[in-house]
DNA sequence: TATTGTTATACTCTATAACTATA
DNA sequence: TATAGTTATAGAGTATAACAATA
């Protein structure tokens, strides 16, 4: 086993900047969400996904996609949201194995309230130091990396798909 | 309380791309580190910081900076690393309140081994879809955001500094 | 008094594997 | 047989507050 070709400093810089930027942002945002509506970031993402979905409802599996990495993790969060009345869960009409998750009015209200401070914070922390052009460039580059990772085959090729299929 | 000025779609796109990119990358990297050396990402970062530090040692507080958000969290991780013999902790000579954390040879070896697959993975997932120029641009933009966030005053101005001071 | 670090404690979240039920 | 989801369980990590010791 030989020494790996080292990354050059430009590459390393970009990697570390990504890690620290997202870590700082995530931490700040989680705190805000917790203070505002008692939501974890994952819960916030789930509510936001539902809000975007047609009819403000989605199957558990479709909801999981892109947010959570295990089935049981989704069940855990969905139950928590249901307990708080932010979401309802009903067996799906067409496929009786499935569960439809739907945003309640209270869920919608809670989301809107959380979004208030959320948007303000993201604006202050993330967009403030960038020009509109730069924001667009950054978004474009990150989107390409994201798309590449979405389709990247896990190196230690896991045979079966779990919660996180094609998309 | 009025509706916040909504973010436009370019801004939203950049934000979501950042969140999902970092989430996917982080998840993949954590799995690799776990498989390779039984390290969590935080532990990996701590070892890497020590490896960079002069004399491969640092005070607890300085080590925490940029990696961990609470004092007790650092103690927890440092103890875990010490238990595995990857790190030693000795009272500091000059300031007897401080603890010097030093990388052991085994810690260094473990880090190198983990770095092997780590670099390969980051290259495959993160750099592969970008040209060198684009990588540089991305790193530059993210660095600016990071620097801005480092000095950003918490909106709900916390009076006291905790683990995470100026830098 | 302020700072460094630890401890106790409680909590949140995640993942794995075994399981049920439907397709 | 494969898929959708749940449950039990166990483990890792985090944060807060109270604490001891040094500056």
């Amino acid at each position: 086993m030989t020494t790996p070709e080292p990354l050059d400093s430009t590459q390393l810089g970009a990697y570390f900047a990504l890690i620290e930027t997202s870590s700082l942002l995530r931490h700040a945002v989680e705190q805000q969400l917790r203070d505002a509506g008692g939501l974890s970031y994952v819960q916030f993402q789930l509510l936001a996904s539902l809000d975007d979905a047609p009819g403000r409802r989605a199957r558990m599996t479709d909801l999981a996609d892109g947010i959570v990495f295990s089935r049981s993790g989704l069940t855990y969060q969905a139950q928590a949201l249901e307990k708080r009345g932010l979401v309802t869960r009903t067996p799906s009409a067409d496929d009786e194995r499935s569960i439809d998750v739907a945003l309640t009015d209270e869920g919608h209200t809670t989301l809107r309230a959380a979004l208030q401070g959320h948007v303000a914070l993201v604006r202050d922390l993330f967009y403030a130091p960038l020009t509109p052009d730069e924001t667009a460039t950054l978004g474009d580059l990150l989107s390409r990396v994201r798309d590449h990772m979405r389709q990247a085959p896990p190196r230690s090729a896991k045979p079966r798909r779990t919660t996180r299929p094609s998309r």
Side-chain angles (χ1 to χ4, degrees), chain A:
Chain A
M1 215 179 224
T2 63
T3 303
E5 190 95 15
L7 298 168
D8 67 45
S9 63
T10 303
Q11 293 178 316
L12 275 180
Y15 170 54
F16 289 143
L18 173 70
I19 292 296
E20 191 173 351
T21 300
S22 65
S23 169
L24 286 171
L25 184 58
R26 181 86 177 230
H27 191 259
V29 157
E30 281 185 342
Q31 196 167 296
Q32 183 270 322
L33 288 174
R34 195 84 57 182
D35 293 350
L39 295 174
S40 70
Y41 194 75
V42 167
Q43 290 170 348
F44 169 73
Q45 285 184 103
L46 291 175
L47 294 185
S49 285
L50 279 180
D51 198 45
D52 274 351
R56 285 187 184 154
R57 59 173 53 244
R59 297 190 334 154
M60 286 282 277
T61 294
D62 298 334
L63 188 56
D65 193 47
I67 299 183
V68 140
F69 291 93
S70 77
R71 290 175 166 290
S72 61
L74 177 60
T75 297
Y76 174 84
Q77 296 293 356
Q79 284 175 343
L81 290 174
E82 189 182 32
K83 239 168 247 162
R84 288 184 52 189
L86 306 183
V87 133
T88 58
R89 296 192 305 155
T90 51
S92 174
D94 23 304
D95 186 338
E96 298 214 352
R97 292 171 302 182
S98 298
I99 301 276
D100 273 356
V101 185
L103 196 62
T104 64
D105 287 346
E106 196 188 336
H108 185 250
T109 304
T110 301
L111 176 63
R112 299 309 301 178
L115 219 36
Q116 182 104 356
H118 185 78
V119 164
L121 182 60
V122 171
R123 191 196 309 283
D124 287 355
L125 290 181
F126 187 50
Y127 300 119
L130 303 176
T131 68
D133 273 2
E134 289 171 337
T135 301
T137 301
L138 179 58
D140 176 59
L141 293 175
L142 286 174
S143 297
R144 280 172 43 207
V145 175
R146 177 200 56 204
D147 293 343
H148 174 255
M149 284 202 288
R150 274 184 184 160
Q151 51 149 34
R155 337 185 73 237
S156 49
K158 286 207 181 161
R160 233 147 269 325
R161 83 180 227 196
T162 66
T163 295
R164 201 115 211 308
S166 54
R167 177 156 192 170

